[in-house]
């Protein structure tokens, strides 16, 4: 089994910063793309940012210039630095990863989510 554990969620004031982290554990052969997704109350889940094993990134237009995704391949972790937070960023943030647990055995995994609340 593979576990993704998020940390760093919490309550912040608008304009503040927060850093989310996600660690993958288990029997892992390799991790391909990792990313962060979020789901606000009453809304569909949306992609926030993704990063490939080689470091190529992709961001939702709504967070470009404010959020930065990074990863540490040696530690199997991915982070999301969130700056200039807005109330509209309030959501449950989920970590996602494409993982090969054994050579040629691929799977997509989700963390349980961490709540980020931005007050005005």
């Amino acid at each position: 089994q593979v576990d993704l554990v998020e940390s760093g969620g919490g309550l912040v004031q608008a304009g503040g910063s927060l850093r989310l982290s996600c660690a993958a554990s288990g029997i892992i052969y390799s991790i391909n793309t990792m990313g962060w997704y979020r789901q606000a109350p009453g809304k569909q889940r949306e992609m926030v940012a993704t990063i490939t094993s080689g470091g190529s990134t992709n961001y939702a237009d709504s967070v470009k210039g404010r959020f930065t995704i990074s990863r540490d391949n040696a530690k199997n972790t991915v982070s999301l630095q969130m700056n200039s937070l807005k109330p509209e960023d309030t959501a449950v943030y989920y970590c996602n990863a494409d993982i090969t647990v054994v050579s040629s055995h691929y799977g997509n995994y989700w963390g349980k989510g961490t709540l980020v609340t931005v007050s005005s």
Side-chain angles (χ1 to χ4, degrees), residues 57-79:
T57 60
N58 188 37
Y59 296 92
D61 289 341
S62 60
V63 307
K64 286 183 178 178
R66 299 188 298 121
F67 292 9
T68 302
I69 188 171
S70 61
R71 65 188 288 167
D72 186 329
N73 293 332
K75 298 180 179 179
N76 291 335
T77 60
V78 62
S79 298

Side-chain angles (χ1 to χ4, degrees), residues 15-88:
S17 298
L18 203 62
R19 185 177 180 85
L20 305 181
S21 296
C22 173
S25 62
I27 301 176
I28 299 173
Y29 180 79
S30 64
I31 302 179
N32 302 115
T33 300
M34 302 185 79
W36 290 94
Y37 296 72
R38 68 186 182 188
Q39 187 165 22
K43 306 292 290 185
Q44 294 184 357
R45 186 174 298 185
E46 64 175 347
M47 186 275 290
V48 177
T50 62
I51 183 168
T52 68
S53 60
S56 297
T57 60
N58 188 37
Y59 296 92
D61 289 341
S62 60
V63 307
K64 286 183 178 178
R66 299 188 298 121
F67 292 9
T68 302
I69 188 171
S70 61
R71 65 188 288 167
D72 186 329
N73 293 332
K75 298 180 179 179
N76 291 335
T77 60
V78 62
S79 298
L80 184 69
Q81 179 66 46
M82 304 184 293
N83 298 326
S84 302
L85 284 163
K86 305 174 181 179
E88 63 189 26

Side-chain angles (χ1 to χ4, degrees), residues 6-18:
E6 300 109 331
S7 62
L11 173 65
V12 298
Q13 292 273 340
S17 298
L18 203 62

